Amino acid sequence: LAALAYEDAARFFEIAVDTLPLAMPAAADIELELLLALGDAYVRSGDTPRARAAFERAVASARRTGNAAGIARAAIGFGGLG
């Protein structure tokens, strides 16, 4: 049952990430946070391929803005994929 809640959360994070550029084009910090949360939701729901993709997108987002802490947080997410 808990995995289903994380699947629902992942769906909502996907919607947020996809619509963010329309609502706030210069919101790289928000995009990064959403991608990290999305990766975490996918990890918790057991969807490793999608979690990996979300963390890869988070790394790319953090690199675009030079956010070293964001890169580190995404790397920690990757580490949780085991």
Side-chain angles (χ1 to χ4, degrees), residues 22-82:
L22 301 173
M24 302 173 67
D29 55 336
I30 296 171
E31 177 188 47
L32 175 61
E33 293 301 321
L34 287 171
L35 289 167
L36 291 168
L38 176 61
D40 184 57
Y42 278 135
V43 166
R44 293 172 186 267
S45 72
D47 193 337
T48 302
R50 286 187 173 164
R52 184 175 310 280
F55 288 128
E56 287 172 356
R57 290 172 63 191
V59 167
S61 177
R63 282 187 177 152
R64 279 193 300 275
T65 60
N67 185 335
I71 294 169
R73 290 174 61 202
I76 291 168
F78 274 116
L81 298 177

